[in-house]
């Protein structure tokens, strides 16, 4: 299948100067009386103009667009309030960038110049520029692949940002960030695709395409899955005419001679459309949007892509399970008992709790074949996590406190947050079955916790493991600070930050 190309967005980084050829400028102010030095010749005029707009007080996120006469020429400027500069975090600066992208697109601006000439920003100029640009690029996205008549109404206009500053290092640093953002957009594209286009068979081709970047890709089809005893993932897809697959993607960026250095494994749920199976979901938005139930697999694929493109010095394996959960005469039934790859038997109490079946086999396969030191799975696993946490945090469950701490810190840094929920014996008892080793649905409430307890039964000893339930953050109907309406691409930036800060060489 053809993945939609990333929205055109170019950045250039230039020595600070007022370029008279620029028609639209962006300036950041913490105080209307603290103007950039290169505008001092027009200071009186600018101050008088700003005073006309009593509602603009340079508070964080305030935006004012007006015209100013500079050296005899009329120029359009966007003034963006920063508030107190010493309170600006990475996430807050990116939010400013997102706001700017929104405003420029609403004005149909194709090219804009950003001038960084603030005394208060002198000590953190690189940091500020990197994150303003990141916020702009993250928000400057649209999935317009299927518009025909209304394509112009959904157009992204912003194509070029020229940055003028005294920074000498920002271009190189932002180049790495940009590769991560491109992979975030890649994940948004995958999650946005309808189920009749992105199915298990076509998703395989997307993964195969990563071989061009130096990623080692292995495809395990139905026949091989059966030979391996991976009956749990096969049960999920047995009602569909499409194939069922486990896909291995290896990125070996650390060429050090230490052969005992075990990889980090990332596992993704890839149910390309989830009808619920025989336990059919009710009609309406809940089933219409089940095209995004492959979000975990998309994030893992996007992560591997980003590591390869930025040539990260780390060894990582991504393993995703791909299936379509459909009702048919060949679909699994409520009450079926299946034997997983681990040998544990599973009572299928509800065919709509299919993601954990798929993950059980894929997680076991990854552990048996790669002996990872860390295993992290991502899945749009439960609607219950949305009830618990809404759309602001993903739920995280783990058997390792240090791993949770690192993921939490990474999430806070980039604004892709996780919040820990408990695992213990009480919840584990709720998934005991009367006729098998485990049942796939708990007997009481705590749906997200019992789902995680189910997965924990397929985690081997001595493996640090975390499960991230992204059902509430994978898609935002109203958009977010740095994401438009729809797919967010949540997870690529979180996991890159986690690896960069803790494991990359």
């Amino acid at each position: 299948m053809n993945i939609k190309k990333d929205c055109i967005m170019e950045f250039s980084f230039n020595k600070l100067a007022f370029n008279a050829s620029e028609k639209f400028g962006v300036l950041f102010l913490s105080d209307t009386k603290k103007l950039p030095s290169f505008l001092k010749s027009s200071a009186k005029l600018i101050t008088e103009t700003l005073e006309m707009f009593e509602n603009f007080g340079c508070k964080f996120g305030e935006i004012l667009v007006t015209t100013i006469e500079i050296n005899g020429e009329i120029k359009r400027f966007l003034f963006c309030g920063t508030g107190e500069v010493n309170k600006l975090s990475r996430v807050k600066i990116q939010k400013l960038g997102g706001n700017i992208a929104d405003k420029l697109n609403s004005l149909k601006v194709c090219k804009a110049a950003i001038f960084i000439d603030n005394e208060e920003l002198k000590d953190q100029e690189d940091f500020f520029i990197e994150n303003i640009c990141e916020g702009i690029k993250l928000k400057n996205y649209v999935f317009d692949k299927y518009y025909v008549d209304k394509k112009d109404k959904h157009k992204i206009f912003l194509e070029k940002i020229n940055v003028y500053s005294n920074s000498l290092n920002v271009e190189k640093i932002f180049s790495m960030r940009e590769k991560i953002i491109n992979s975030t957009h890649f994940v948004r594209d995958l999650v946005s695709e309808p189920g009749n286009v992105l199915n298990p068979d076509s998703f395989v081709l997307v993964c195969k395409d990563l071989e061009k970047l130096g990623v080692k890709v292995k495809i395990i089809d139905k026949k091989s899955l059966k030979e391996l005893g991976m009956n749990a993932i096969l049960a999920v897809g047995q009602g569909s005419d499409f194939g069922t697959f486990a896909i291995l993607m290896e990125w070996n960026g650390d060429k050090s001679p230490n052969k005992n250095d075990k990889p980090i494994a990332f596992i993704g749920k890839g149910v390309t459309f989830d009808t619920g199976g025989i336990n059919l979901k009710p009609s309406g938005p809940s089933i219409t949007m089940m095209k995004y139930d492959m979000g975990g697999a998309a994030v893992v694929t996007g992560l591997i892509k980003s590591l390869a493109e930025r040539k990260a010095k780390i060894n990582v394996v991504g393993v995703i399970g791909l299936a379509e959960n459909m009702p048919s005469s060949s679909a699994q039934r409520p009450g079926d008992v299946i034997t997983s790859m681990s040998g544990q038997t599973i009572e299928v109490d509800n065919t709509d709790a299919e993601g954990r079946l798929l993950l059980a086999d894929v997680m076991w396969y990854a552990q048996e074949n790669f002996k990872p030191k860390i295993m992290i799975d991502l899945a749009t696993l439960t609607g219950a996590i949305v009830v618990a946490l809404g759309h602001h945090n993903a739920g995280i469950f783990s058997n390792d406190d240090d791993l949770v701490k690192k993921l939490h810190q990474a999430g806070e840094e980039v604004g892709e947050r996780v919040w820990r929920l408990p695992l213990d014996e009480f919840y584990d008892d709720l998934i005991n079955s009367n006729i098998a080793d485990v049942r796939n649905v708990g007997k009481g409430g705590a749906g997200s916790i019992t789902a995680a307890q189910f997965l924990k039964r397929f985690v081997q000893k001595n493996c640090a493991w975390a499960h991230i339930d992204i059902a509430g953050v994978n898609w935002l109907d109203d958009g977010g600070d740095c994401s438009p309406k729809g797919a967010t691409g949540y997870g690529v930036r979180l996991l890159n930050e986690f690896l960069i800060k803790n494991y990359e060489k």
Side-chain angles (χ1 to χ4, degrees):
M1 62 173 288
N2 293 322
I3 297 297
K4 181 182 76 64
K5 292 187 182 299
D6 189 30
C7 300
I8 298 172
M9 187 80 216
E10 294 182 17
F11 292 85
S12 74
F13 298 90
N14 313 275
K15 187 175 181 180
L16 180 63
F18 180 67
N19 188 335
S21 67
E22 299 287 1
K23 297 179 179 179
F24 200 112
V26 177
L27 298 172
F28 299 92
L29 298 180
S30 60
D31 189 320
T32 54
K33 295 181 175 60
K34 295 180 179 180
L35 298 176
S37 59
F38 72 84
L39 292 177
K40 291 297 172 66
S41 61
S42 305
K44 183 179 179 181
L45 178 60
I46 295 172
T47 301
E48 290 174 351
T49 302
L50 292 176
E51 287 175 351
M52 292 171 58
F53 299 91
E54 296 179 0
N55 292 331
F56 183 75
C58 300
K59 294 179 182 178
F60 176 81
E62 286 186 333
I63 285 179
L64 170 64
V65 178
T66 187
T67 55
I68 301 286
E69 183 180 338
I70 306 291
N71 299 330
E73 290 189 51
I74 302 297
K75 301 289 183 182
R76 295 177 80 194
F77 278 95
L78 184 155
F79 292 94
C80 180
T82 63
E84 297 179 56
V85 173
N86 60 359
K87 293 184 178 180
L88 290 176
S89 65
R90 180 172 171 181
V91 172
K92 291 185 74 173
I93 297 171
Q94 289 175 9
K95 181 178 180 178
L96 290 179
N99 291 347
I100 289 168
D102 269 350
K103 190 64 177 179
L104 293 177
N105 276 303
S106 71
L107 296 170
K108 299 183 179 181
V109 174
C110 297
K111 186 178 81 166
I114 291 178
F115 298 97
I116 308 293
D117 187 22
N118 302 57
E119 188 64 30
E120 304 102 310
L121 293 173
K122 205 168 187 179
D123 295 333
Q124 55 175 330
E125 193 165 280
D126 287 1
F127 178 77
F128 186 84
I129 296 170
E130 292 160 24
N131 288 293
I132 279 293
C133 292
E134 183 162 351
I136 290 173
K137 186 172 176 72
L138 280 168
K139 197 61 182 283
N140 200 57
Y141 170 90
V142 65
F143 187 80
D144 59 357
K145 181 177 175 181
Y146 296 105
Y147 289 116
V148 179
D149 294 339
K150 298 180 181 179
K151 200 174 185 74
D152 289 343
K153 293 182 180 180
H154 300 272
K155 183 178 179 181
I156 287 291
F157 291 89
L158 189 59
E159 297 179 352
K160 182 80 181 282
I161 294 288
N162 295 326
V163 180
Y164 294 87
S165 74
N166 288 316
S167 172
L168 300 176
N169 303 314
V170 70
E171 184 171 6
K172 182 179 179 180
I173 297 170
F174 182 68
S175 176
M176 182 187 75
R177 292 266 195 100
E178 195 167 26
K179 291 179 174 64
I180 296 172
I181 302 167
N182 287 341
S183 288
T184 299
H185 288 178
F186 170 80
V187 172
R188 291 174 178 176
D189 291 343
L190 288 175
V191 174
S192 299
E193 287 286 358
N196 65 321
V197 175
L198 187 66
N199 53 60
D201 297 353
S202 57
F203 204 139
V204 167
L205 301 179
V206 173
C207 299
K208 281 287 289 180
D209 204 46
L210 296 186
E211 290 179 332
K212 298 174 184 176
L213 300 175
V215 177
K216 183 180 177 181
V217 179
K218 179 181 179 181
I219 300 164
I220 306 175
D221 60 13
K222 280 185 178 181
K223 181 180 177 182
S224 298
L225 291 171
K226 190 169 184 178
E227 291 172 352
L228 290 165
M230 298 176 73
N231 300 306
I233 183 175
L234 284 169
V236 175
Q238 72 186 44
S240 172
D241 289 336
F242 290 112
T244 299
F245 304 92
I247 310 295
L248 281 62
M249 296 170 283
E250 293 182 70
W251 171 250
N252 295 311
D254 178 13
K255 304 299 183 182
S256 61
N258 186 1
K259 295 181 180 179
N260 295 320
D261 189 16
K262 299 175 182 177
I264 298 174
F266 293 93
I267 314 298
K269 171 191 171 184
V271 178
T272 59
F273 196 85
D274 179 22
T275 66
I278 298 299
N279 291 108
L280 190 67
K281 293 177 184 290
S283 61
S286 64
I287 193 170
T288 301
M289 294 312 301
M290 282 302 100
K291 67 178 186 178
Y292 68 51
D293 210 20
M294 36 59 69
V299 173
V300 172
T301 307
L303 171 65
I304 298 295
K305 179 177 183 288
S306 67
L307 296 177
E309 289 190 333
R310 63 183 183 83
K311 302 188 186 311
K313 294 182 179 179
I314 191 169
N315 294 336
V316 166
V317 58
V319 189
I320 63 174
L322 301 176
E324 185 183 54
N325 188 22
M326 299 292 284
S328 74
S329 62
S330 60
Q332 64 175 335
R333 295 157 291 271
D336 282 2
V337 175
I338 53 179
T339 302
S340 67
M341 184 183 184
S342 71
Q344 296 177 79
T345 55
I346 304 168
E347 177 190 1
V348 181
D349 185 70
N350 189 318
T351 62
D352 195 23
E354 85 298 332
R356 63 202 73 178
L357 302 179
L358 177 152
L359 289 172
D361 272 351
V362 175
M363 288 166 56
W364 196 264
Y365 180 92
Q367 292 169 97
E368 286 288 288
N369 288 274
F370 296 98
K371 307 296 181 187
K373 56 187 175 186
I374 293 170
M375 179 172 65
I376 299 170
D377 77 82
L378 297 97
T380 50
L381 204 64
T382 67
I385 202 68
V386 185
V387 176
L389 298 176
H391 301 283
H392 189 63
N393 286 273
I396 188 170
F397 306 79
S398 183
N399 62 2
D400 189 285
D401 294 343
D402 183 58
L403 178 56
V404 172
K405 182 180 178 181
K406 289 174 180 176
L407 285 164
H408 183 268
Q409 289 175 341
E412 291 295 312
E413 186 70 19
V414 302
E416 295 187 342
R417 295 179 172 88
V418 297
W419 191 262
R420 192 176 192 179
L421 284 86
L423 293 170
D424 65 36
E425 292 180 2
F426 170 79
Y427 297 110
D428 198 53
D429 288 342
L430 297 179
I431 57 173
N432 286 330
S433 168
N434 292 326
I435 64 169
D437 294 325
V438 63
R439 53 188 277 165
N440 73 331
V441 175
K443 297 174 184 176
S448 296
I449 300 174
T450 53
Q453 287 286 171
F454 178 93
L455 295 180
K456 188 172 183 289
R457 294 205 182 189
F458 299 88
V459 178
Q460 297 176 4
K461 291 181 180 180
N462 303 319
C463 181
W465 160 75
H467 158 59
I468 305 177
D469 193 332
I470 62 172
V473 295
N474 180 54
W475 186 280
L476 297 178
D477 287 338
D478 297 322
D481 293 338
C482 291
S483 62
K485 296 178 181 180
T488 64
Y490 174 103
V492 175
R493 294 163 63 235
L494 163 69
L495 297 178
N496 270 281
E497 186 74 13
F498 165 74
L499 294 174
I500 290 168
K501 289 293 175 65
N502 298 291
Y503 300 102
E504 289 187 29
K505 296 182 179 179

